[in-house]
Amino acid sequence: MKKYRLLVTIIIAMGIIIIGTTNPITNLYKSTNLINKGINPKEQSNNEKNNPKDLLICIDPGHQEKGDRSLEPAAPGSSQTKAKVSSGASGVATKKPEYMLNLEASTVLKHILEGMGYRVAMTRETNDVNISNAQRAIMANEKNADMVIRVHADSLDNSSKTGASILIPSKDNKHTSRIYEKSNNCAKSVDEHMKKAGIEVNGIFERGDLTGFNWSKVPVVLVEMGFLSNYNEDYMMSSPQYQRKLMQSIADGVEAYFGNNSNL
Ligand SMILES: [Zn+2]
């Protein structure tokens, strides 16, 4: 009699479960699967957006083999004009032109970011191009890049000056105020990771005078890798090991920036 009652109770209980839910086994499987992955079902959509494969990084290797001194507006609708693009400085020790060094380092960065799962677009992949600074910004706008990294090297009359610098669009410039916050957050993350890798960084500087910033509608960070006018730093920037360390630290900074969901 006891056995019979137990059997009836089990049959009734199973019936209630099957009728009460549409497909309990599938639902149970789904929840268990999400729990196993450590994902709360409510957070799943955010985590999917965080997949680096969905993010596009545009890299702009600064300058080109031959400068173009013809003029373009320094900002959309501006009457102030600046030369379209210059060939840049060259190394005091290596004699290597900046446009060449920038492309070398940018190619290293491209491979690192692609290895991390990002989509990468380059404004140029050869030195013999003619693409103005405004055109480079427009290229990134049209691709709706999630972040633009511009790669440059500094030069000064003072040969003792060393260190990298990070430039971002100005907060108070009407053309760039909307992209300031994301650019600044990414710059802070890049700065932190460069310093962590042992790279000398002089700081983050806002610039309202750069055509390549003023035309940008997407967040952008420009890294001046170091000084071509300093003998040791010029040599160092051409070393494949140093280029790899520097570019890895920039990529790590970008990764940490996107790792924070509020930046998506
Ligand atoms: Zn430059």
Side-chain angles (χ1 to χ4, degrees), residues 56-58 140-141 144-150 168-169 176 178-186 213 216-222 257-258 263:
L56 176 69
I57 313 294
C58 181
N141 294 345
N144 197 22
D146 294 287
M147 185 58 63
V148 180
I149 306 291
R150 303 177 65 194
I168 54 168
T176 54
R178 273 179 301 153
I179 57 169
Y180 167 78
E181 198 181 334
K182 284 186 173 181
S183 305
N184 187 41
N185 286 344
C186 186
F213 280 170
S216 191
K217 303 261 180 267
V218 291
V220 50
V221 171
L222 187 157
Y257 164 79
F258 283 117
N263 291 320

Side-chain angles (χ1 to χ4, degrees), residues 180-196:
Y180 167 78
E181 198 181 334
K182 284 186 173 181
S183 305
N184 187 41
N185 286 344
C186 186
K188 283 196 282 193
S189 182
V190 168
D191 174 60
E192 191 190 316
H193 284 82
M194 283 171 78
K195 285 175 180 161
K196 214 185 272 178

Side-chain angles (χ1 to χ4, degrees), residues 230-246:
N230 179 272
Y231 200 87
N232 289 335
E233 206 160 66
D234 176 32
Y235 261 130
M236 198 165 68
M237 285 191 289
S238 267
S239 131
Q241 290 84 352
Y242 186 76
Q243 275 183 12
R244 180 142 196 100
K245 180 169 92 164
L246 179 57

Side-chain angles (χ1 to χ4, degrees), residues 62-63 86-89 98-99 102 151-155 222 224 228:
H63 309 279
S86 67
S87 61
E98 187 193 343
Y99 63 80
N102 294 343
V151 178
H152 282 254
D154 255 328
S155 189
L222 187 157
E224 297 276 9
L228 291 162

